[in-house]
Amino acid sequence: MADSNVKVLGTWASPFVMRVTIALHLKSVDYQYIEENLLEAKSDLLLKSNPIHKKVPVLIHGDKPVCESLIIVQYIDEFWSSSQPSILPSDPYERAQSRFLAAYVDDEFFPALRMVLVSTTEEAAKAAMAEVLEGVVVLEEAFKKLSKGRAFFGGDDLGYVDLAVGSLVAWINVIEKFTGAKLLSEAKTPSLVAWADCFSSHAAVKDVFPDVDKLADFGMRFKAKILNAAAAAATN
C-alpha cells in the first residue's frame, strides 16, 4: 500500500525521476507515484509544488514539496537516515567527491548526451558525441577510484553517484540504438559495462528501469517535437 504521506510527481521517461524512486526503494519508503504528461499540460499540483522551474521530479512529503532530483535524494537519505543503506558516504571527503561527480554528470555529461539525441545538425551531433565519449572515460576512471574494486560507485551497494549515473543507462542504450555507436564497451569502459549490468538488475532498480524500445519511441517523438519547434522558429 502506497503511503499517501509521500508522493512523487514524475514522468516515466525521466532519468531524474528514476533517481528519486530508486532512492525511495533503497530506503523501503512506500510512496504514491503521480504521472505527469509534460508533452501536453502540467498539472496544477506540479505548478503549485514547483512554481519556479515547473519540472519533475517533485517529492511531496506531507504537504512539503522538495524539488530537483539530487536534492531530493539527499533529503531522502537524511530524513530516513535510520533506514539502510546510506546513499551518501559518511566520510566528508568521499561525500564531497560524490557530490562533485554527480554535479559533473548533470552539468556536463547529461547535456552532451541529450544533445546527441536532439541535435538539429550532423555537426552538432558529432561534437556532442565526442563529449559523451570523453565523458564515459571520465566516469570509468571515477568508478575505479570510488568503488575500490567493489560492484558499485557506492561500494557494496548503490550510492549517490550510482543513482546520478545509473539513471542515464537506459538513455545511453537508446542512443546506442539510434546511432549504432557503442558508448559503453569492453575495450574502453569494462568497469562501467559490468557496473551497468549490476545496476540495472538491482532489486531497487529493475522495477523502475524503463523498457529501452519504449524509451526509444518516446525519444523519437521528443526529437520530432524539437525539430518542429526549430523549423517553426526559423520561419517566423
Side-chain angles (χ1 to χ4, degrees), residues 15 28 56-57 90 137 139 174 201 229:
S28 300
V56 295
S90 58
V137 173
L139 295 175
V174 166
S201 61

Side-chain angles (χ1 to χ4, degrees), residues 18 21-28 84-87 151-159 162-163 166 194-209:
M18 187 179 178
T21 56
I22 294 171
L24 290 168
H25 291 176
L26 283 171
K27 294 290 189 175
S28 300
Q84 292 300 318
S86 295
I87 297 173
F152 299 102
F153 281 95
D156 293 323
D157 207 341
L158 297 180
D162 294 284
L163 271 60
W195 163 82
D197 287 340
C198 291
F199 174 83
S200 58
S201 61
H202 192 284
V205 175
K206 58 185 180 181
D207 288 341
V208 295
F209 195 84

Side-chain angles (χ1 to χ4, degrees), residues 1-235:
M1 177 69 69
D3 186 347
S4 61
N5 194 47
V6 180
K7 298 181 177 71
V8 176
L9 308 185
T11 183
W12 70 272
S14 169
F16 305 106
V17 173
M18 187 179 178
R19 294 172 177 175
V20 174
T21 56
I22 294 171
L24 290 168
H25 291 176
L26 283 171
K27 294 290 189 175
S28 300
V29 178
D30 290 331
Y31 62 94
Q32 179 186 358
Y33 177 76
I34 301 172
E35 178 75 11
E36 292 281 337
N37 189 339
L38 303 183
L39 294 179
E40 294 184 8
K42 298 176 181 179
S43 72
D44 291 340
L45 181 58
L46 174 59
L47 298 176
K48 175 184 176 182
S49 302
N50 190 357
I52 295 177
H53 297 302
K54 305 177 178 63
K55 294 180 179 179
V56 295
V58 178
L59 177 80
I60 303 175
H61 189 194
D63 59 353
K64 298 176 182 177
V66 184
C67 305
E68 298 296 311
S69 64
L70 292 177
I71 293 173
I72 297 171
V73 169
Q74 292 179 60
Y75 175 86
I76 291 168
D77 195 35
E78 292 171 4
F79 189 88
W80 287 280
S81 59
S82 61
S83 300
Q84 292 300 318
S86 295
I87 297 173
L88 277 155
S90 58
D91 178 80
Y93 180 73
E94 291 181 0
R95 185 183 291 249
Q97 291 297 101
S98 294
R99 285 175 169 153
F100 177 84
L101 191 57
Y104 164 76
V105 169
D106 278 9
D107 296 343
E108 298 185 43
F109 184 72
F110 174 74
L113 197 67
R114 183 181 184 276
M115 188 57 64
V116 173
L117 180 65
V118 303
S119 292
T120 56
T121 68
E122 185 177 349
E123 181 180 358
K126 285 182 177 180
M129 179 61 80
E131 287 188 50
V132 169
L133 292 174
E134 290 178 7
V136 294
V137 173
V138 170
L139 295 175
E140 172 80 3
E141 293 306 312
F143 178 83
K144 293 175 183 177
K145 180 179 179 181
L146 294 180
S147 69
K148 299 176 182 176
R150 291 174 288 179
F152 299 102
F153 281 95
D156 293 323
D157 207 341
L158 297 180
Y160 190 66
V161 180
D162 294 284
L163 271 60
V165 183
S167 60
L168 303 178
V169 167
W171 277 109
I172 288 173
N173 292 341
V174 166
I175 289 173
E176 289 180 337
K177 186 180 180 73
F178 280 169
T179 64
K182 202 67 179 170
L183 304 186
L184 302 183
S185 68
E186 291 287 354
K188 292 187 177 180
T189 58
S191 298
L192 284 183
V193 169
W195 163 82
D197 287 340
C198 291
F199 174 83
S200 58
S201 61
H202 192 284
V205 175
K206 58 185 180 181
D207 288 341
V208 295
F209 195 84
D211 178 81
V212 172
D213 289 336
K214 183 181 177 183
L215 197 60
D217 179 68
F218 175 87
M220 289 178 65
R221 290 187 286 115
F222 181 72
K223 182 170 184 175
K225 183 178 181 180
I226 296 291
L227 293 175
N228 290 337
T235 58

